[in-house]
Amino acid sequence: MPLSVNDHRANSWEDLQRLLFQNTWDGRIGRFRSPFVYRGSRSHLYRLDTSLQRLGGQYHHLEHHLLRNFRKYAHDTTLPTEGGTTWDWLALAQHHGLPTRLLDWTYSPYVALHFATDDLEAYHEDGIVWALNYVKAAEHLPERLRQVLKLEGSNVFTSELLQPVSSSLRELEELQTEPYVLFLEPPSLDARIVHQYALFSLMSTAQSVLHDWLQERPELYFRIIIPAELKWEVRDKLDQANITERVLLPGLSGLSRWLHRHYSPARGQDVGGPGGELPG
């Protein structure tokens, strides 16, 4: 998607803070309550394609087979509900890397910022943070789904909320001819989902592309460009704020990724000795 009036280029760390938290004041309650969810990408050229769409070919015909076989071979898996709903299984599959139509989002702009700056190999190009107004996006849902959210007093679905009105991907598509997006909060499968303040977007059809859908509804989103020259400062300040792989990806793999990045040289300079030591 080319740069547009919805794109804002951060000129400094201070400017970035302003952009991340713009339009989050809720005058009805006199508090800051963001209506946005966020998604960070290491390159501003990345689109909102799903892992299923990135398979290419007749990927939409493979979706059912991928999920069916995942459920068949996923032994010793505990799900919140007996047997698990389609939505529980989709969330679990996405969480473990199966190609699905889900996209990862977070309620935290700093978690999104982490994923825009976590790859040192991409520091030569601009990163990006998407901000999508999930409250306004819910106004485009089919009437039956809007009523479910209204009765619950919510703007996003859980599997328990979605299951009674739509128990399968096919039923989801049949609710409305016009494509739509809904947001699904996954069950707390592990600490990673909890720490990342995570939720998923879910298009009503496998072939619907979220960025194309948003391009027709520019009032629903904005994007923040993270210049390549700003990435090191952003990364260092996120680390100081404890927004790191050690926290967001709990376990030895996350710990190793954090340490690897912490001790990697910036702009050809050495890191190590007293200046490179970790606190504590």
Side-chain angles (χ1 to χ4, degrees):
M1 188 183 291
L3 297 183
S4 70
V5 294
N6 289 59
D7 294 325
H8 309 274
R9 189 175 182 87
N11 298 314
S12 65
W13 170 260
E14 291 74 20
D15 190 39
L16 179 57
Q17 305 315 299
R18 176 185 63 83
L19 292 170
L20 286 173
F21 292 97
Q22 65 179 321
N23 302 321
T24 60
W25 175 256
D26 189 336
R28 297 170 303 170
I29 61 174
R31 301 284 297 276
F32 285 94
R33 289 288 187 270
S34 177
F36 296 99
V37 291
Y38 305 88
R39 177 178 171 85
S41 295
R42 60 200 61 169
S43 171
H44 73 285
L45 299 176
Y46 284 8
R47 293 154 55 92
L48 296 178
D49 300 313
T50 66
S51 55
L52 181 68
Q53 290 163 345
R54 289 194 294 270
L55 284 177
Q58 298 295 308
Y59 63 84
H60 53 289
H61 293 313
L62 302 176
E63 183 177 35
H64 172 73
H65 302 294
L66 283 164
L67 189 59
R68 173 174 55 83
N69 282 288
F70 182 82
R71 294 178 67 162
K72 180 168 67 173
Y73 293 114
H75 298 297
D76 303 322
T77 299
T78 302
L79 289 170
T81 56
E82 184 65 30
T85 67
T86 294
W87 318 116
D88 289 328
W89 280 105
L90 258 182
L92 182 67
Q94 171 74 6
H95 186 58
H96 288 282
L98 188 78
T100 76
R101 71 169 72 177
L102 302 184
L103 274 177
D104 297 282
W105 295 80
T106 174
Y107 290 110
S108 168
Y110 285 151
V111 170
L113 202 56
H114 166 83
F115 288 109
T117 59
D118 68 333
D119 185 0
L120 300 185
E121 299 301 317
Y123 271 36
H124 63 286
E125 58 182 326
D126 297 347
I128 196 166
V129 170
W130 290 76
L132 197 166
N133 192 319
Y134 68 98
V135 177
K136 286 186 178 180
E139 297 172 4
H140 296 267
L141 292 169
E143 177 62 23
R144 287 180 63 189
L145 294 180
R146 290 203 306 272
Q147 285 301 315
V148 169
L149 291 180
K150 183 178 179 181
L151 290 173
E152 184 66 20
S154 179
N155 296 296
V156 299
F157 286 91
T158 62
S159 60
E160 291 83 1
L161 274 181
L162 188 55
Q163 179 69 13
V165 66
S166 178
S167 62
S168 70
L169 291 168
R170 179 173 297 176
E171 288 182 18
L172 200 70
E173 184 173 350
E174 291 172 349
L175 288 175
Q176 182 173 288
T177 303
E178 178 73 17
Y180 60 91
V181 64
L182 63 83
F183 284 90
L184 180 67
E185 289 185 344
S188 297
L189 300 169
D190 61 18
R192 196 171 90 193
I193 282 180
V194 176
H195 291 190
Q196 292 180 17
Y197 211 177
L199 73 165
F200 301 123
S201 65
L202 170 62
M203 294 298 295
S204 56
T205 74
Q207 293 168 289
S208 298
V209 182
L210 181 54
H211 53 249
D212 291 341
W213 189 85
L214 287 173
Q215 205 163 23
E216 297 173 0
R217 300 162 181 84
E219 72 281 2
L220 295 183
Y221 80 98
F222 65 88
R223 307 195 309 170
I224 304 170
I225 309 299
I226 317 297
E229 60 270 21
L230 189 60
K231 278 188 172 181
W232 272 113
E233 180 180 355
V234 171
R235 185 64 264 167
D236 288 342
K237 289 180 176 178
L238 286 177
D239 286 353
Q240 185 66 39
N242 203 28
I243 309 296
T244 70
E245 295 89 343
R246 183 175 66 89
V247 174
L248 300 178
L249 305 170
L252 296 180
S253 295
L255 174 61
S256 297
R257 287 175 61 176
W258 171 55
L259 291 171
H260 178 274
R261 184 173 49 72
H262 180 84
Y263 284 103
S264 294
R267 303 183 182 93
Q269 298 177 359
D270 290 334
V271 176
E277 286 302 311
L278 293 168

